[in-house]
Amino acid sequence: GLYRSEFLFLDKDLPTEESQLCQYKKVIDFFNPYPVTIRTLDYGGDKIHEFMKTHREMNPFLGCRSIRFSLKNQGIFKTQLRAILRASAFGNVKMMFPMISTVEELLQARDITSEMMHELDTSGIPYDKNIEIGIMIEVPSAVIAGDILAEYVDFFSVGTNDLVQYILAVDRVNEKVADLYNPLDISVLRYLRTISEIASSHSKPISICGEIAGEPKFTMMLLGLGFRQLSMSSKNMYQVKRIIRSVNIQECESLSRSLLQMKRSDEIEKAVIENMYQKFPEILI
Ligand code: PEP
Ligand code: MG
């Protein structure tokens, strides 16, 4: 799963290291011994918070959002990193940076993390020294440079909500272009296949999140494209799990192979729906 840390930042006052630690601990305790993947602050885009209400941009999704915001506001970032690292002493914690679009961003985020680890070491504060650090793949550049990024991460998580928006240059919250926001465009399928192959060839675990990961009609296609970890809200789990338990990988791979041969998204959509009706007519789509 994915722990979106943004909701800790909804108030006018920024959360302190102690208050963040307390929140992270609650979740970690609840899920122990299962892992909790905490995503560092994904501020910006459609997520405008009270503490930065005056911060407005012409193109917010292309602006100072997500990891870019954290790297430019290092006080906020460092406080959060310390809280996550400290929380890692209490359970199975992984940490993930959102919207990495260049190798430099990742290296900078990692350097700051090492700096915080050093601070904790110096003060004798415990944390998991082997904490796994991953990145979200949400920008086409991260797919294309995925083999290089793979050298510096423990895992990938594909954020399809953003990835689709950036591949197709369609604002994900603009109703006027909602019809163009299409996860079944052939370009999206190709990007998903590419990143899944890169992860596999570099032996990096990869998960997929965003709306499509929890939509039953996409499940077989995603399995066929090589994804084995799907992150979704609990309301979707029952149906998706049912599908996963009733299919075999060969039929999923054959479906995704045939979809990748198609050109038009309406063709792809039709094939996906027909497959669904054939195999799972009872699951409403
Ligand atoms: C995504 O982009 O798919 C994602 C999981 O992040 P968010 O929806 O929070 O931007
Ligand atoms: Mg996102």
Side-chain angles (χ1 to χ4, degrees):
L2 160 67
Y3 179 103
R4 289 178 160 93
S5 62
E6 290 79 67
F7 78 95
L8 300 177
F9 291 79
L10 295 177
D11 289 342
K12 228 182 163 95
D13 296 322
L14 286 164
T16 61
E17 183 177 318
E18 294 304 322
S19 70
Q20 288 188 58
L21 174 62
C22 175
Q23 294 298 330
Y24 300 146
K25 262 174 74 178
K26 275 188 204 160
V27 181
I28 294 160
D29 283 345
F30 181 81
F31 282 103
N32 217 359
Y34 298 104
V36 175
T37 306
I38 303 177
R39 176 173 80 180
T40 62
L41 180 62
D42 189 27
Y43 165 86
D46 54 334
K47 304 172 188 116
I48 299 296
H49 296 129
E50 201 63 39
F51 75 95
M52 284 291 286
K53 245 198 163 141
T54 51
H55 177 88
R56 287 274 182 256
E57 297 175 303
M58 286 274 278
N59 293 305
F61 277 111
L62 300 182
C64 185
R65 66 167 291 213
S66 209
I67 193 68
R68 299 172 181 175
F69 176 86
S70 294
L71 294 176
K72 285 195 196 310
N73 294 274
Q74 290 191 14
I76 298 174
F77 191 39
K78 287 178 175 177
T79 303
Q80 180 171 39
L81 290 175
R82 281 179 60 102
I84 297 173
L85 288 171
R86 286 176 63 190
S88 71
F90 298 93
N92 190 346
V93 178
K94 300 178 193 208
M95 181 163 72
M96 180 159 80
F97 302 127
M99 209 192 148
I100 291 289
S101 54
T102 66
V103 179
E104 288 73 22
E105 268 171 358
L106 171 58
L107 294 181
Q108 208 188 338
R110 288 213 68 132
D111 281 350
I112 300 171
T113 307
S114 301
E115 204 187 308
M116 292 307 100
M117 287 177 164
H118 184 67
E119 266 187 28
L120 295 177
D121 283 334
T122 314
S123 322
I125 301 174
Y127 64 93
D128 175 4
K129 290 194 183 355
N130 299 314
I131 184 171
E132 287 185 22
I133 298 182
I135 57 171
M136 291 198 69
I137 301 287
E138 307 192 271
V139 186
S141 61
V143 176
I144 299 302
D147 57 328
I148 303 170
L149 294 169
E151 291 176 33
Y152 305 102
V153 295
D154 296 307
F155 63 92
F156 288 136
S157 169
V158 182
T160 54
N161 297 340
D162 275 314
L163 187 59
V164 171
Q165 131 167 295
Y166 292 123
I167 291 172
L168 297 171
V170 179
D171 182 341
R172 69 190 240 191
V173 294
N174 184 339
E175 286 163 19
K176 287 188 198 150
V177 287
D179 57 325
L180 297 173
Y181 186 95
N182 189 353
L184 289 176
D185 191 273
I186 185 64
S187 58
V188 175
L189 269 52
R190 285 181 176 183
Y191 268 105
L192 291 178
R193 181 191 50 178
T194 302
I195 194 61
S196 131
E197 283 177 354
I198 289 175
S200 156
S201 64
H202 287 76
S203 307
K204 298 290 171 187
I206 186 165
S207 61
I208 185 158
C209 56
E211 290 309 306
I212 69 169
E215 253 193 67
K217 75 172 178 187
F218 294 111
T219 307
M220 285 185 68
M221 177 187 94
L222 295 177
L223 291 172
L225 289 169
F227 295 94
R228 298 290 180 270
Q229 291 179 47
L230 279 59
S231 165
M232 68 202 72
S233 61
S234 49
K235 69 177 185 338
N236 299 326
M237 266 163 58
Y238 172 72
Q239 287 193 327
V240 172
K241 236 175 159 172
R242 248 201 73 210
I243 295 176
I244 293 175
R245 286 184 168 155
S246 357
V247 296
N248 64 51
I249 284 299
Q250 288 73 27
E251 60 185 331
C252 298
E253 284 173 351
S254 146
L255 171 70
S256 65
R257 253 196 316 273
S258 71
L259 298 178
L260 281 160
Q261 298 303 317
M262 297 175 183
K263 297 187 176 120
R264 298 173 44 158
S265 60
D266 55 356
E267 235 185 314
I268 298 176
E269 168 107 37
K270 191 162 164 264
V272 165
I273 304 279
E274 270 172 10
N275 178 67
M276 231 10 226
Y277 270 124
Q278 245 178 34
K279 298 204 176 302
F280 304 99
E282 72 289 2
I283 293 186
L284 280 177
I285 38 180

